[in-house]
Amino acid sequence: MKGYLRNRLSLRSLRLSLRFVLPLVVVLALLAFAIVPIVDNLTLRWFVRDMDIRSQLITSTLQEPLLELLQQGNRAKINSLFMRAIQDERLFAVGYCDGKGKMLYRTPNFPSDIVCSLPDTAAYKPRSLLHLTQGPVHVAINPIKDNGALAGSMVLVHDMSFVERRSADTKQYVIILFVILGVVISAITVFIAHLSWRGWLKGMRAMLHGEGLVRPFTQTDNPELQPLVGDLRALLRTMDSERRFADDVTIAWTPESLRSLLHKQLDGDQVLVVSNREPYIHMKGKEGIEVRRPASGLVTAMEPVMRACSGIWIAHGSGTADKETVDKYDRVPVPPDRPDYTLRRIWLTNEEEIGYYFGFANEGLWPLCHIAHVRPIFRSTDWEHYMAINQRFADAVVEEAKSDDPVVLVQDYHFALLPRMIRKALPKATVITFWHIPWPNPESFGICPWREELLRGMLGSTILGFHTRFHCKNFLETVDRYLETRTEHESSTIHHRGKLTLVESYPISIQWPLKVQQTQPSPLECRAEVERSLNLAADMLIGLGVDRLDYTKGILERLRAVERLLELHPEMVGRFTFIQIAAPSRSVLEDYQALDTQVRSLTNRINQRFAADSYQPIILKVEHHEPDDVNRYYRAADVCMVTSLHDGMNLVAKEFVAARDDERGVLVLSQFTGAAQELHEALIVNPYHIEQTAEALHRALTMPDYEQQERMRSMRDLVRDFNVYRWAGRMLLDAARIRQREKLAGRIGINHDA
Ligand code: F6P
């Protein structure tokens, strides 16, 4: 195969060279024919000038003896003098004309066509080139002076036939010279073309493998090309960012534009999603099987994307009725009411779930990646399960793949090893991994005993996405610290074992407009409903928190800020109620159980402190809420508090904004969320600073309507434009670009695993 490719490549370089050589031969031939007469003319002029000088010289030499012999009238000696003169190979004939223009002496072969002419007459031509029957001749008529007075003239006839011989020779030499020139140039061209083709191939291979982006690929080979390579790379980067900018400006991201992107840019290639959490959970309820939507930012974001892409979503089947609702291939069409895509469920034993999900993912990686002052715990048994379950999901990807090059979207920290496993089984697959949580600095990550394995696993990805540039930077630095790779920070790429990974930020978002919104009552009605259900007074100011019950969410800090608000602004007691919706999460784990206890007891303490009659400052609802319910609370609240201690993005912030089509309500947002980098019109707080958060809450509760409207309108514009379709679309566009490059590499015979 390699030999075949090499032959094809040589043929290609030969064809390439011929394309240059043939025109070169034609041009050289034309040149040669144009140049010969020029050279002829030039040499003739040189020879004529030569003959002129020669004639002068002969005349000067003969003048004295001739004058003497003329005075003596010695005809015989004059003839003999002339005969001796024409012994010269070139001098053909000599004659002498007297002062009256009569030829007195001449050698026997003197051409009859040549006549005398006097230097002072109009017919006098001192030098001329004539074509006689004998052939071409040069005629020079030189005056002979006796003591300064004109005595006569000497006519010297030189044979010029040698010029023709020389011209024929010159023609021959010129043609030979051009032929040699042609051959030499062609040989050099073929040689250079061959080298350049190979060099180009090498360059292409490097570029397509990303080496050109990772390091200057000609650094060692062709240092003189460095400036050119640098310019080329800069140009590529500029084109890339311009292309992205153009995409951003020109594409309005909707489910339709995402669908058409899939068909146009990705040729309708199959899209597979892998996540731990499934988008629809079937539970056994009192009235039969119920379908639940989990409290998960990941699911919130991915679900609309999958509905647009109609692919297969592979996830852990964790519901009590999940097994009863799948077909014999463990598949179930979803959404249940109007199926758009397929959910493929993967089963885990209790022990596996404890090791892989609760243990390694949530006691190890979760606290490792979040700065929330909870120490990570790493156990070898958990690691074993983590590896085994990643492999199980990788096998499922291979089973579900309809081709050898599907687009696989791997979600989150549960699957750090999966990208490499997929790549091993399906080398042509495009693996886009999105890390939904923050990425820590290299020192923090270094705590993990299996740090190298995790990093290597992730580098099986074609694209590795984080929410923010800061997380990308942390990841690049971590890889730099712990693995032997070529990392290029400028282009955010990592080259590891012949594989390139693009590390890019793709801030996640939500569907726009929110699907639930279409069936929701107005904000006023929602408010009335919430007031009724919670027995709140009509003029009560409502604060809202919506989270999983997780220590990273800053729920305790938030409750303390509510307490401080009531201390600092006693007029708010009885006027302000804070509703905390907390979805139970990972409750098997001690840290989560402890948090549950702490949240409940802090709530009780604050309530006891400020309660009066039916008034309760904090309403804690530790239970699962379906998206419709949550949305109703969003629309009813005056303020939404997102006070995470550390959060990749936090979609609650964006959901609240999306829910407020009345352009009312204020968002208090932690500076430690990814969302704070986008939603600048929120009141940004440091959740560790209790007074600052309490004051922000107060400011939110007393903010004039017009200010609420301005802030909310601006945030809504952002969430509308930077919606989840854009998040997925940008990743898929980048993937399409990389796939095109790889296909090109395949076409020109580059082996990607080389
Ligand atoms: O934040 C990371 C994440 O995976 C989110 O995407 C999601 O909201 C949450 O964790 C869900 O956690 P779990 O699946 O453990 O309930």
PDB file of all heavy atoms in Angstrom, residues 530-546:
ATOM      1  N   VAL A 530     -47.975  31.108  42.884  1.00  0.00           N
ATOM      2  CA  VAL A 530     -46.953  30.839  43.905  1.00  0.00           C
ATOM      3  C   VAL A 530     -47.413  31.381  45.257  1.00  0.00           C
ATOM      4  O   VAL A 530     -47.287  30.718  46.300  1.00  0.00           O
ATOM      5  CB  VAL A 530     -45.581  31.439  43.491  1.00  0.00           C
ATOM      6  CG1 VAL A 530     -44.597  31.435  44.648  1.00  0.00           C
ATOM      7  CG2 VAL A 530     -45.016  30.672  42.303  1.00  0.00           C
ATOM      8  N   GLU A 531     -47.947  32.592  45.240  1.00  0.00           N
ATOM      9  CA  GLU A 531     -48.434  33.203  46.495  1.00  0.00           C
ATOM     10  C   GLU A 531     -49.511  32.312  47.124  1.00  0.00           C
ATOM     11  O   GLU A 531     -49.483  32.056  48.327  1.00  0.00           O
ATOM     12  CB  GLU A 531     -49.020  34.594  46.212  1.00  0.00           C
ATOM     13  CG  GLU A 531     -47.964  35.644  45.955  1.00  0.00           C
ATOM     14  CD  GLU A 531     -48.548  36.949  45.396  1.00  0.00           C
ATOM     15  OE1 GLU A 531     -49.772  37.008  45.155  1.00  0.00           O
ATOM     16  OE2 GLU A 531     -47.757  37.880  45.191  1.00  0.00           O
ATOM     17  N   ARG A 532     -50.403  31.840  46.259  1.00  0.00           N
ATOM     18  CA  ARG A 532     -51.496  30.992  46.747  1.00  0.00           C
ATOM     19  C   ARG A 532     -50.943  29.686  47.328  1.00  0.00           C
ATOM     20  O   ARG A 532     -51.243  29.313  48.458  1.00  0.00           O
ATOM     21  CB  ARG A 532     -52.449  30.693  45.587  1.00  0.00           C
ATOM     22  CG  ARG A 532     -53.856  30.367  46.025  1.00  0.00           C
ATOM     23  CD  ARG A 532     -54.852  30.292  44.862  1.00  0.00           C
ATOM     24  NE  ARG A 532     -54.326  29.781  43.616  1.00  0.00           N
ATOM     25  CZ  ARG A 532     -54.156  30.524  42.520  1.00  0.00           C
ATOM     26  NH1 ARG A 532     -54.458  31.807  42.538  1.00  0.00           N
ATOM     27  NH2 ARG A 532     -53.704  29.978  41.415  1.00  0.00           N
ATOM     28  N   SER A 533     -50.067  29.049  46.559  1.00  0.00           N
ATOM     29  CA  SER A 533     -49.589  27.725  46.998  1.00  0.00           C
ATOM     30  C   SER A 533     -48.727  27.808  48.260  1.00  0.00           C
ATOM     31  O   SER A 533     -48.710  26.888  49.067  1.00  0.00           O
ATOM     32  CB  SER A 533     -48.823  27.037  45.882  1.00  0.00           C
ATOM     33  OG  SER A 533     -47.649  27.758  45.621  1.00  0.00           O
ATOM     34  N   LEU A 534     -48.040  28.943  48.449  1.00  0.00           N
ATOM     35  CA  LEU A 534     -47.155  29.046  49.619  1.00  0.00           C
ATOM     36  C   LEU A 534     -47.754  29.946  50.712  1.00  0.00           C
ATOM     37  O   LEU A 534     -47.099  30.254  51.706  1.00  0.00           O
ATOM     38  CB  LEU A 534     -45.782  29.587  49.197  1.00  0.00           C
ATOM     39  CG  LEU A 534     -45.014  28.708  48.202  1.00  0.00           C
ATOM     40  CD1 LEU A 534     -43.699  29.371  47.805  1.00  0.00           C
ATOM     41  CD2 LEU A 534     -44.712  27.329  48.807  1.00  0.00           C
ATOM     42  N   ASN A 535     -48.954  30.353  50.459  1.00  0.00           N
ATOM     43  CA  ASN A 535     -49.655  31.179  51.432  1.00  0.00           C
ATOM     44  C   ASN A 535     -48.888  32.471  51.745  1.00  0.00           C
ATOM     45  O   ASN A 535     -48.648  32.821  52.913  1.00  0.00           O
ATOM     46  CB  ASN A 535     -49.884  30.348  52.715  1.00  0.00           C
ATOM     47  CG  ASN A 535     -50.971  30.953  53.565  1.00  0.00           C
ATOM     48  OD1 ASN A 535     -51.802  31.730  53.057  1.00  0.00           O
ATOM     49  ND2 ASN A 535     -50.973  30.638  54.867  1.00  0.00           N
ATOM     50  N   LEU A 536     -48.514  33.172  50.679  1.00  0.00           N
ATOM     51  CA  LEU A 536     -47.754  34.415  50.842  1.00  0.00           C
ATOM     52  C   LEU A 536     -48.680  35.610  50.638  1.00  0.00           C
ATOM     53  O   LEU A 536     -49.612  35.552  49.823  1.00  0.00           O
ATOM     54  CB  LEU A 536     -46.630  34.495  49.805  1.00  0.00           C
ATOM     55  CG  LEU A 536     -45.571  33.386  49.834  1.00  0.00           C
ATOM     56  CD1 LEU A 536     -44.590  33.569  48.674  1.00  0.00           C
ATOM     57  CD2 LEU A 536     -44.815  33.404  51.161  1.00  0.00           C
ATOM     58  N   ALA A 537     -48.348  36.710  51.328  1.00  0.00           N
ATOM     59  CA  ALA A 537     -49.142  37.933  51.138  1.00  0.00           C
ATOM     60  C   ALA A 537     -48.875  38.466  49.734  1.00  0.00           C
ATOM     61  O   ALA A 537     -47.805  38.238  49.160  1.00  0.00           O
ATOM     62  CB  ALA A 537     -48.712  38.963  52.173  1.00  0.00           C
ATOM     63  N   ALA A 538     -49.866  39.212  49.211  1.00  0.00           N
ATOM     64  CA  ALA A 538     -49.767  39.667  47.817  1.00  0.00           C
ATOM     65  C   ALA A 538     -48.618  40.641  47.589  1.00  0.00           C
ATOM     66  O   ALA A 538     -48.061  40.716  46.506  1.00  0.00           O
ATOM     67  CB  ALA A 538     -51.083  40.301  47.393  1.00  0.00           C
ATOM     68  N   ASP A 539     -48.262  41.399  48.632  1.00  0.00           N
ATOM     69  CA  ASP A 539     -47.180  42.368  48.418  1.00  0.00           C
ATOM     70  C   ASP A 539     -45.815  41.844  48.896  1.00  0.00           C
ATOM     71  O   ASP A 539     -44.860  42.598  49.052  1.00  0.00           O
ATOM     72  CB  ASP A 539     -47.499  43.676  49.130  1.00  0.00           C
ATOM     73  CG  ASP A 539     -47.628  43.464  50.645  1.00  0.00           C
ATOM     74  OD1 ASP A 539     -47.696  42.277  51.066  1.00  0.00           O
ATOM     75  OD2 ASP A 539     -47.642  44.463  51.379  1.00  0.00           O
ATOM     76  N   MET A 540     -45.745  40.554  49.120  1.00  0.00           N
ATOM     77  CA  MET A 540     -44.482  39.960  49.601  1.00  0.00           C
ATOM     78  C   MET A 540     -43.404  40.043  48.512  1.00  0.00           C
ATOM     79  O   MET A 540     -43.686  39.754  47.350  1.00  0.00           O
ATOM     80  CB  MET A 540     -44.733  38.497  49.990  1.00  0.00           C
ATOM     81  CG  MET A 540     -43.559  37.820  50.632  1.00  0.00           C
ATOM     82  SD  MET A 540     -43.164  38.528  52.244  1.00  0.00           S
ATOM     83  CE  MET A 540     -44.471  37.875  53.279  1.00  0.00           C
ATOM     84  N   LEU A 541     -42.212  40.462  48.918  1.00  0.00           N
ATOM     85  CA  LEU A 541     -41.092  40.409  47.974  1.00  0.00           C
ATOM     86  C   LEU A 541     -40.552  38.976  47.984  1.00  0.00           C
ATOM     87  O   LEU A 541     -40.344  38.400  49.054  1.00  0.00           O
ATOM     88  CB  LEU A 541     -39.983  41.387  48.397  1.00  0.00           C
ATOM     89  CG  LEU A 541     -40.346  42.874  48.253  1.00  0.00           C
ATOM     90  CD1 LEU A 541     -39.334  43.744  48.996  1.00  0.00           C
ATOM     91  CD2 LEU A 541     -40.406  43.258  46.769  1.00  0.00           C
ATOM     92  N   ILE A 542     -40.340  38.430  46.793  1.00  0.00           N
ATOM     93  CA  ILE A 542     -39.945  37.012  46.727  1.00  0.00           C
ATOM     94  C   ILE A 542     -38.520  36.884  46.183  1.00  0.00           C
ATOM     95  O   ILE A 542     -38.200  37.391  45.098  1.00  0.00           O
ATOM     96  CB  ILE A 542     -40.917  36.205  45.827  1.00  0.00           C
ATOM     97  CG1 ILE A 542     -42.330  36.249  46.411  1.00  0.00           C
ATOM     98  CG2 ILE A 542     -40.445  34.766  45.648  1.00  0.00           C
ATOM     99  CD1 ILE A 542     -43.391  35.576  45.552  1.00  0.00           C
ATOM    100  N   GLY A 543     -37.699  36.193  46.959  1.00  0.00           N
ATOM    101  CA  GLY A 543     -36.355  35.822  46.495  1.00  0.00           C
ATOM    102  C   GLY A 543     -36.367  34.343  46.171  1.00  0.00           C
ATOM    103  O   GLY A 543     -37.136  33.579  46.761  1.00  0.00           O
ATOM    104  N   LEU A 544     -35.514  33.926  45.234  1.00  0.00           N
ATOM    105  CA  LEU A 544     -35.544  32.529  44.810  1.00  0.00           C
ATOM    106  C   LEU A 544     -34.139  31.965  44.622  1.00  0.00           C
ATOM    107  O   LEU A 544     -33.246  32.635  44.103  1.00  0.00           O
ATOM    108  CB  LEU A 544     -36.302  32.429  43.461  1.00  0.00           C
ATOM    109  CG  LEU A 544     -36.370  31.056  42.806  1.00  0.00           C
ATOM    110  CD1 LEU A 544     -37.278  30.117  43.598  1.00  0.00           C
ATOM    111  CD2 LEU A 544     -36.881  31.190  41.361  1.00  0.00           C
ATOM    112  N   GLY A 545     -33.972  30.717  45.057  1.00  0.00           N
ATOM    113  CA  GLY A 545     -32.738  29.969  44.766  1.00  0.00           C
ATOM    114  C   GLY A 545     -33.152  28.617  44.197  1.00  0.00           C
ATOM    115  O   GLY A 545     -34.052  27.981  44.739  1.00  0.00           O
ATOM    116  N   VAL A 546     -32.532  28.200  43.103  1.00  0.00           N
ATOM    117  CA  VAL A 546     -32.855  26.894  42.498  1.00  0.00           C
ATOM    118  C   VAL A 546     -31.554  26.146  42.283  1.00  0.00           C
ATOM    119  O   VAL A 546     -30.693  26.598  41.521  1.00  0.00           O
ATOM    120  CB  VAL A 546     -33.577  27.070  41.135  1.00  0.00           C
ATOM    121  CG1 VAL A 546     -33.866  25.717  40.490  1.00  0.00           C
ATOM    122  CG2 VAL A 546     -34.857  27.862  41.289  1.00  0.00           C
TER     123      VAL A 546
END
